[in-house]
Amino acid sequence: MQFGRRGLRMSLKGRMKAIAARATGGPDALVPAELPIPEPGVGEVLIRVAAAGINRPDIMQRKGKYPPPPGAPDTLGLEVAGEVVEIGEGVDPSISGMPVCALLAGGGYAEYAVAPVGQCLPVPACLTMVEAAAMPETLFTVWTNLFERAYAVDGETLLVHGGTSGIGTMATQLGKLFGLRVIVTCGSDSKCRAALDIGATHAINYHNVDFVEAVREITDGNGVNVVLDMVGGDYLPRNIACLADDGRHVSIAVQRGTTAEIPIWTIMAKRLTLTGSTLRARSVQFKTLVAQEIERTVWPMVIGGELKPVIDSVFPLAEAADAHRRMESGAHVGKIVLTMGD
């Protein structure tokens, strides 16, 4: 990363506003709290948070189904944007005072958050802090799974479930920028229209039609090259039916269950690849390499105004429970973001 030089800040002490999960359960489990301001360790920076993105794993953690990895804060929040106000040992002083967005293992729902410097990206002037905070988690996830695991290339066809989710909107936009034909599924006609406006080539209302039949018709019976799946469960064999020869299926979430019965002969006959990944527990070294690849390959498009996240709604930090309710309602289109102001 290239950052201009500014003076170092004094070490911050004291307490900060944050959102804590009082217990596992519904949105009401999220309550305001005062916590110590964290201190950056070796290779880390302290960020004064302006905005924090909300993601589906936050919901799962609140419910007790997705515990943070060892060493990560218990506080929710996997992505933030703000200003670097303190640096740890081994960090280039030139980053101090710079606006950044960062991928976290936790701790984003707070006025201050610590991030490995390698997981930070500079915020260009064309992005607001709300937009910047909505980028890291979905961008890192889509990039690693769509292009580094599924090896999607220009001219191929992609099927994405949850086309108006944060992941779905990012996959649509990024896929379009890299020459993919993007088919999405959505739960209503209005969401299908929104997905088309965002850049999808086709949008399928899965309540009205069988998406397997719709994909077969759209692709003239050839199928899609890649499926990016957040649903899991009984969707897996149906996704396999959508794949073309040499197709790749990438699992990134399991909203409909963790097990499925699969047609092994179809996998063999079509030479299919079934893969998947999680991001949160991966090493700092891995995430740093991903950040470097994104900064080199995708960030010029962000700086040029070609890629911006779709923002559904913005809530103040104290209303994090309402923000979770919005996500769980399924009514959102794009990202939901918390801000530290009123």
Side-chain angles (χ1 to χ4, degrees):
M1 277 183 299
Q2 298 297 318
F3 296 96
R5 290 193 171 274
R6 297 188 183 181
L8 290 176
R9 304 297 182 91
M10 296 296 291
S11 178
L12 291 169
K13 303 293 182 183
R15 301 180 72 80
M16 63 180 182
K17 295 178 182 177
I19 295 294
R22 179 179 52 200
T24 58
D28 289 337
L30 300 180
V31 294
E34 281 200 357
L35 300 175
I37 295 175
E39 296 183 8
V42 176
E44 295 180 332
V45 297
L46 178 67
I47 299 169
R48 179 185 290 122
V49 177
I54 289 180
N55 295 279
R56 184 67 58 176
D58 300 345
I59 306 295
M60 301 304 292
Q61 181 176 335
R62 190 202 73 219
K63 292 180 176 180
K65 298 179 179 180
Y66 191 42
D74 292 333
T75 313
L76 304 178
L78 302 178
E79 59 187 350
V80 298
E83 178 187 0
V84 175
V85 292
E86 188 179 337
I87 63 173
E89 182 182 344
V91 176
D92 186 339
S94 66
I95 194 175
S96 184
M98 291 292 102
V100 298
C101 58
L103 182 71
L104 312 177
Y109 292 12
E111 291 181 308
Y112 294 88
V114 165
V117 68
Q119 295 173 204
C120 297
L121 291 164
V123 176
C126 62
L127 288 184
T128 67
M129 282 295 178
V130 165
E131 291 170 332
M135 293 285 281
E137 173 67 15
T138 54
L139 182 52
F140 277 59
T141 298
V142 171
W143 181 262
T144 55
N145 287 287
L146 184 55
F147 296 104
E148 295 184 351
R149 298 200 70 82
Y151 307 108
V153 296
D154 186 0
E156 291 194 317
T157 302
L158 165 69
L159 172 62
V160 182
H161 294 299
T164 53
S165 66
I167 291 288
T169 54
M170 178 59 72
T172 296
Q173 293 180 95
L174 206 56
K176 184 178 178 181
L177 285 171
F178 282 86
L180 303 182
R181 182 189 188 199
V182 183
I183 303 171
V184 303
T185 65
C186 303
S188 69
D189 289 341
S190 62
K191 284 198 168 189
C192 285
R193 289 191 293 271
L196 293 172
D197 289 341
I198 290 163
T201 310
H202 298 277
I204 302 165
N205 182 341
Y206 59 80
H207 286 304
N208 293 343
V209 298
D210 178 359
F211 73 80
V212 177
E213 292 300 322
V215 166
R216 185 175 292 118
E217 181 177 343
I218 290 168
T219 63
D220 296 323
N222 295 313
V224 300
N225 305 103
V226 178
V227 175
L228 185 65
D229 181 46
M230 296 172 280
V231 184
D234 60 356
Y235 263 47
L236 181 52
R238 299 174 70 193
N239 291 339
I240 289 173
C242 292
L243 283 169
D245 289 350
D246 299 301
R248 290 87 70 197
H249 182 284
V250 188
S251 298
I252 60 172
V254 288
Q255 295 176 21
R256 285 174 70 104
T258 59
T259 60
E261 183 173 321
I262 60 173
I264 298 173
W265 178 252
T266 301
I267 295 170
M268 294 165 59
K270 287 187 174 183
R271 303 176 301 278
L272 304 181
T273 299
L274 274 60
T275 185
S277 73
T278 59
L279 179 63
R280 189 179 188 184
R282 297 298 295 270
S283 68
V284 171
Q285 291 77 13
F286 173 80
K287 294 174 187 175
T288 297
L289 289 174
V290 175
Q292 291 170 350
E293 180 70 16
I294 287 173
E295 185 169 16
R296 181 172 63 253
T297 309
V298 181
W299 221 238
M301 298 177 180
V302 176
I303 293 170
E306 299 174 83
L307 179 63
K308 280 191 175 185
V310 177
I311 303 298
D312 173 82
S313 50
V314 180
F315 292 80
L317 180 66
E319 296 177 14
D322 288 334
H324 275 221
R325 291 187 186 95
R326 173 70 179 172
M327 175 166 280
E328 290 185 279
S329 76
H332 61 291
V333 175
K335 294 285 294 202
I336 303 169
V337 179
L338 298 174
T339 57
M340 299 306 118
D342 295 330

